[in-house]
Amino acid sequence: MKATLKIDTVLNRFAEAVGPSLPIAIEGNRTRWGLNGLLKPGTSVISAPSGLVEYKPEEMIVTVRAGTTVQELDTCLADHRQRTSLPDRGGTVGGAIAVGHNDLHKLGKGSVRDAVLQLRYVSAEGKVITCGGPVVKNVTGFNLHKLMVGSFGTLGFIAEVTLRTNPTPLRQLWIQTSMDPKIIFDTLQRPSAILWDGTTTWVHLEGHPPDVDAQYALLTKSGKVYESETGPSLPAHRWSIPPVDIFSLEKTLMGRFVASIGVGTVWAEQPQEERKLDRATLTITERMKKQFDPTSRLNPGRNLGNWS
Ligand SMILES: Cc1cc2nc3c(=O)[nH]c(=O)nc-3n(C[C@H](O)[C@H](O)[C@H](O)COP(=O)(O)OP(=O)(O)OC[C@H]3O[C@@H](n4cnc5c(N)ncnc54)[C@H](O)[C@@H]3O)c2cc1C
């Protein structure tokens, strides 16, 4: 992927395509196209520009256009043994942020929301808006760029993002055990994932080899563990629940499930029932949508809000 500096021309052209009126939708690679409400039929669909804008490995930040695939981004970062917390499931950077689902390895990689340092989006008025700042130490102003994470393209169309990068761990290891996942969660210092299907627990360790070995040794003191080639296969539906509820869930509603301990994500055979927002959240959500998109022209039919 080649770096290109003609940011404004490209972004202005994208803003012109969005325009200030008429219903319009945005697509990435359509890997999560059906989520959060169906688009109104007849809506014209555009996509975000793609390409690397700037990569500063020594500062651990990268700026890309939103239409870039996560795979392309990962390939570019791999040259410097770096990565972001965005999951690569065939989608685009903009799509991953708009959907806001965290990676399986959230405990180790961090959340999608935390990775976004600066974001440029095109508003319902067809203007390019910049929020956040392209630096890791960024604590001033409103967290508007974080609001875009999980907003499903209903508040603005993401054009370009600056993301925090992290070193890719030198060693990665999957472990399988029948030990209680709560004990594992309390024992380990920083696992990148603890997955549990009600019987078996899978732990993903990553980091410098001596640290991974030390964590592994710690686990063997508490019970029997086995190295595993991979983690479990994940059922199709994604549930989002408070992390503490994982052990009290009615498992019969889910079918086969794999829960991410300490995160609150569960992959299950059965879909999660639609969650009703409480009155206060609903009011804030409606007000926000009115403020950002008074005529509901952006992604009409999609719901705002899945802040999992
Ligand atoms: C089988 C499978 C498993 C997956 N599992 C996981 C998982 O475990 N963890 C995880 O984190 N993710 C997972 N994903 C989701 C993955 O991260 C998606 O690929 C990504 O989130 C969506 O990218 P996309 O480009 O395909 O977006 P699309 O499907 O094209 O769009 C999704 C939504 O984002 C909006 N959108 C797209 N681009 C923009 C933009 N530039 N600005 C504003 N809104 C935009 C669209 O309008 C739409 O509402 C999974 C996907 C698949 C197919």
Side-chain angles (χ1 to χ4, degrees):
M1 197 168 29
K2 273 198 163 173
T4 161
L5 295 171
K6 286 185 188 158
I7 304 167
D8 293 335
T9 321
V10 173
L11 294 197
N12 286 335
R13 227 182 287 139
F14 178 51
E16 270 169 33
V18 176
S21 58
L22 300 179
I24 189 158
I26 185 158
E27 65 179 2
N29 272 354
R30 292 196 177 223
T31 60
R32 281 296 194 247
W33 191 239
L35 275 189
N36 249 33
L38 292 179
L39 216 57
K40 283 204 177 135
T43 309
S44 58
V45 181
I46 58 168
S47 42
S50 63
L52 176 74
V53 177
E54 193 170 36
Y55 178 28
K56 295 184 188 165
E58 64 293 348
E59 291 185 30
M60 303 188 107
I61 52 174
V62 63
T63 302
V64 277
R65 303 223 170 89
T68 312
T69 62
V70 177
Q71 192 185 32
E72 283 173 312
L73 173 63
D74 286 350
T75 305
C76 158
L77 300 182
D79 289 345
H80 292 271
R81 285 199 66 87
Q82 291 186 2
R83 64 181 189 180
T84 70
S85 62
L86 263 48
D88 177 18
R89 299 295 184 121
T92 59
V93 169
I97 293 170
V99 172
H101 286 171
N102 290 307
D103 188 80
L104 175 68
H105 303 284
K106 185 195 167 196
L107 287 178
K109 281 183 163 183
S111 69
V112 170
R113 184 166 289 127
D114 288 342
V116 180
L117 299 173
Q118 178 178 275
L119 189 144
R120 286 184 161 145
Y121 69 93
V122 176
S123 69
E125 292 80 31
K127 293 199 172 116
V128 178
I129 311 285
T130 301
C131 44
V135 283
V136 173
K137 260 191 169 180
N138 172 32
V139 289
T140 57
F142 294 112
N143 268 345
L144 207 56
H145 52 303
K146 312 267 184 192
L147 189 64
M148 291 290 157
V149 180
S151 65
F152 281 84
T154 58
L155 300 179
F157 288 174
I158 304 162
E160 183 189 289
V161 282
T162 302
L163 299 164
R164 179 198 298 265
T165 65
N166 294 298
T168 305
L170 291 173
R171 176 142 191 239
Q172 310 204 20
L173 180 67
W174 275 106
I175 290 167
Q176 200 175 321
T177 174
S178 54
M179 274 161 59
D180 185 336
K182 278 185 267 186
I183 295 178
I184 296 174
F185 188 74
D186 291 341
T187 306
L188 292 179
Q189 210 175 18
R190 208 172 163 193
S192 78
I194 301 176
L195 304 175
W196 176 67
D197 70 356
T199 314
T200 304
T201 307
W202 289 262
V203 185
H204 191 247
L205 298 176
E206 55 180 25
H208 287 287
D211 294 338
V212 172
D213 290 345
Q215 294 285 292
Y216 184 73
L218 205 59
L219 271 189
T220 56
K221 280 187 194 152
S222 313
K224 275 203 166 136
V225 297
Y226 307 92
E227 280 191 34
S228 170
E229 264 180 30
T230 57
S233 65
L234 302 179
H237 299 283
R238 193 178 191 278
W239 291 41
S240 185
I241 57 171
V244 287
D245 288 356
I246 277 176
F247 299 102
S248 56
L249 271 179
E250 188 56 73
K251 308 290 185 317
T252 48
L253 294 177
M254 300 177 150
R256 188 174 89 80
F257 74 94
V258 175
S260 181
I261 306 300
V263 175
T265 303
V266 182
W267 292 268
E269 254 172 357
Q270 301 301 326
Q272 185 173 23
E273 249 180 47
E274 205 178 310
R275 280 174 299 168
K276 296 252 176 293
L277 293 180
D278 60 75
R279 191 66 243 151
T281 312
L282 202 61
T283 307
I284 293 170
T285 307
E286 283 167 359
R287 271 197 215 154
M288 208 151 56
K289 176 69 179 167
K290 263 224 144 61
Q291 195 77 31
F292 278 79
D293 181 18
T295 59
S296 287
R297 63 178 293 256
L298 302 180
N299 271 3
R302 283 267 203 280
N303 303 315
L304 160 65
N306 176 3
W307 293 296
S308 54

